[in-house]
Amino acid sequence: MPRPPRHSPEATPSAQPDADLDAMLAKALGKSLPEAAATDASIEAPEPVDPSLQRCGYVAIVGKPNVGKSTLLNALVGQKISITSRKAQTTRHRITGYRTEGVSQFVFVDTPGFQTRHGNALNRSLNKTVLGAVTDVDLILFVVEAGHFTPADQKVLELLPAAVPVILLANKFDLVHRRGDLAPWLKSMQEKRSFAEFVPMSAKTPRDIQRLFAICEKYLPQQPWMHDPEELTDRSERFMAAEMVREKLFRLTGDELPYTSTVVIDKFEEEGALKRIAASIVVEREGHKGMVIGEKGEKLKRIGTEARQELEKIWNCKVFLELWVKVRSGWADDDARVRSFGYE
């Protein structure tokens, strides 16, 4: 795959910030990085890497709900391994993705958005996952929306250990219309914590992703790789099937359905190039069941069709997917039931 050129977005302030802030913004945007032209000549088989030169380390991706953590993980890994939707708390598990670039292997850890609004068993489990993910990593990417910082962001920032370097990743930078306004914001962020670096970027821009690899690389310890370079994630196909159904469930029901709905895989069988999957969508109330099924079963049919098509694309094989809807009242506030559904 050709290496995309590194990105140097132009800062075009409408009002002139002072020289120090302007220089800080320029540095954060990577203006000092040389442009790397991507050509067909770069498409070559990777040469063996001397183990003594290898770097490998854990990079946690943290932030409040809906700041683009899963989109970022998918872009860093190069394939969809974490589901996305506009509904808060879409990510519910610690999902690890691998990417090997040159001499370095990055082990990215995506986490649920830290939940401060509700204290039920499900959210206690999710917050425990976040706390566990940040305690034993080499680097933390603290993801916020560029130009914004909310009390929910502050709650996450307070969880981050002082001993681990933290990069402030200002995501959705492409949506900032007055980029010169970002410099005062960066200065205010510096007062909240001594961040290792600032990285304004968009998780949807390949050049920004490539620039992020170069920035993170120097924080990885010099040690042998932990995984085969061809591996992408530690999660099983069974897990991915449940997640894809849950993604389509959230996307197609919108705000109608409470986020306390989940998916359980009842059967996962392989018959040559065919995978047969039976899954249950679990909701808390009888009324929610009708929302999922829809008129004449059309909503449930569409959820199944879109999930099946996405799984076939990822796995490059035929998938037979059968879905059922079950009511389990109060499951999200029952610690034992939460654990039985696969939450940590």
Side-chain angles (χ1 to χ4, degrees):
M1 176 183 294
R3 181 183 295 270
R6 288 169 175 163
H7 187 36
S8 298
E10 291 296 326
T12 55
S14 56
Q16 286 295 324
D18 64 51
D20 288 343
L21 288 179
D22 199 25
M24 180 176 67
L25 180 56
K27 180 181 178 182
L29 293 173
K31 285 178 126 4
S32 61
L33 289 173
E35 290 291 326
T39 66
D40 291 340
S42 64
I43 307 175
E44 299 174 353
E47 296 182 2
V49 175
D50 183 346
S52 66
L53 301 177
Q54 291 179 353
R55 289 178 175 271
C56 185
Y58 286 90
V59 181
I61 302 173
V62 302
K64 70 178 184 181
N66 284 77
V67 290
K69 300 183 298 297
S70 295
T71 299
L72 176 63
L73 175 67
N74 292 336
L76 289 165
V77 172
Q79 180 176 305
K80 184 172 183 175
I81 62 170
S82 186
I83 64 173
T84 61
S85 83
R86 289 190 295 270
K87 190 181 286 286
Q89 299 300 95
T90 299
T91 299
R92 292 185 179 170
H93 302 268
R94 170 175 169 153
I95 299 175
T96 303
Y98 317 133
R99 179 68 173 264
T100 303
E101 287 275 304
V103 300
S104 299
Q105 185 172 86
F106 302 82
V107 182
F108 294 106
V109 182
D110 187 22
T111 61
F114 193 80
Q115 177 61 257
T116 59
R117 294 179 58 192
H118 307 288
N120 61 21
L122 175 61
N123 285 332
R124 290 195 298 271
S125 169
L126 303 187
N127 287 350
K128 182 179 178 182
T129 298
V130 178
L131 293 171
V134 300
T135 55
D136 192 24
V137 295
D138 301 292
L139 177 66
I140 296 172
L141 300 181
F142 175 46
V143 185
V144 299
E145 289 190 29
H148 299 273
F149 191 79
T150 69
D153 293 311
Q154 180 64 37
K155 288 281 188 182
V156 178
L157 183 60
E158 291 170 359
L159 300 175
L160 307 185
V164 180
V166 178
I167 287 178
L168 175 64
L169 197 153
N171 194 27
K172 305 182 183 179
F173 179 64
D174 54 318
L175 302 181
V176 176
H177 300 297
R178 292 163 53 93
R179 296 187 179 184
D181 294 344
L182 198 60
W185 176 78
L186 285 175
K187 185 177 181 180
S188 72
M189 294 301 298
Q190 271 190 321
E191 296 169 356
K192 301 181 187 301
R193 179 180 174 123
S194 180
F195 292 102
E197 300 195 40
F198 296 100
V199 184
M201 63 170 289
S202 168
K204 296 181 179 180
T205 303
R207 292 176 297 179
D208 284 2
I209 293 296
Q210 205 61 46
R211 180 164 62 93
L212 184 59
F213 282 125
I215 292 169
C216 294
E217 184 175 39
K218 56 183 173 288
Y219 296 95
L220 303 185
Q222 198 162 1
Q223 61 180 347
W225 297 341
M226 302 176 190
H227 306 280
D228 186 296
E230 300 300 315
E231 291 183 14
L232 297 179
T233 182
D234 62 337
R235 288 298 185 171
S236 67
E237 291 183 339
R238 188 184 185 99
F239 172 84
M240 291 301 301
E243 288 290 274
M244 288 305 162
V245 173
R246 194 163 60 84
E247 178 186 74
K248 305 312 175 189
L249 170 69
F250 282 175
R251 288 191 173 190
L252 293 173
T253 56
D255 294 329
E256 302 174 69
L257 190 68
Y259 82 96
T260 51
S261 306
T262 195
V263 176
V264 177
I265 300 298
D266 302 312
K267 181 178 71 174
F268 191 105
E269 298 174 348
E270 297 187 54
E271 300 174 5
L274 172 69
K275 298 184 192 295
R276 291 186 179 273
I277 304 168
S280 296
I281 295 173
V282 180
V283 297
E284 287 200 295
R285 297 179 183 175
E286 196 67 37
H288 300 160
K289 185 175 181 178
M291 296 178 190
V292 176
I293 295 174
E295 188 174 354
K296 297 181 179 179
E298 287 301 313
K299 183 69 67 68
L300 183 62
K301 181 179 179 181
R302 188 176 170 193
I303 291 169
T305 297
E306 294 195 11
R308 175 183 58 76
Q309 290 172 342
E310 182 121 31
L311 290 170
E312 288 180 339
K313 181 180 177 181
I314 292 173
W315 294 333
N316 193 29
C317 72
K318 295 297 293 182
V319 173
F320 176 81
L321 176 61
E322 186 177 26
L323 296 181
W324 303 90
V325 184
K326 299 178 181 178
V327 179
R328 296 290 183 270
S329 299
W331 78 265
D333 204 23
D334 182 332
D335 288 296
R337 185 65 64 81
V338 166
R339 286 193 298 272
S340 75
F341 286 164
Y343 296 99
E344 298 173 2

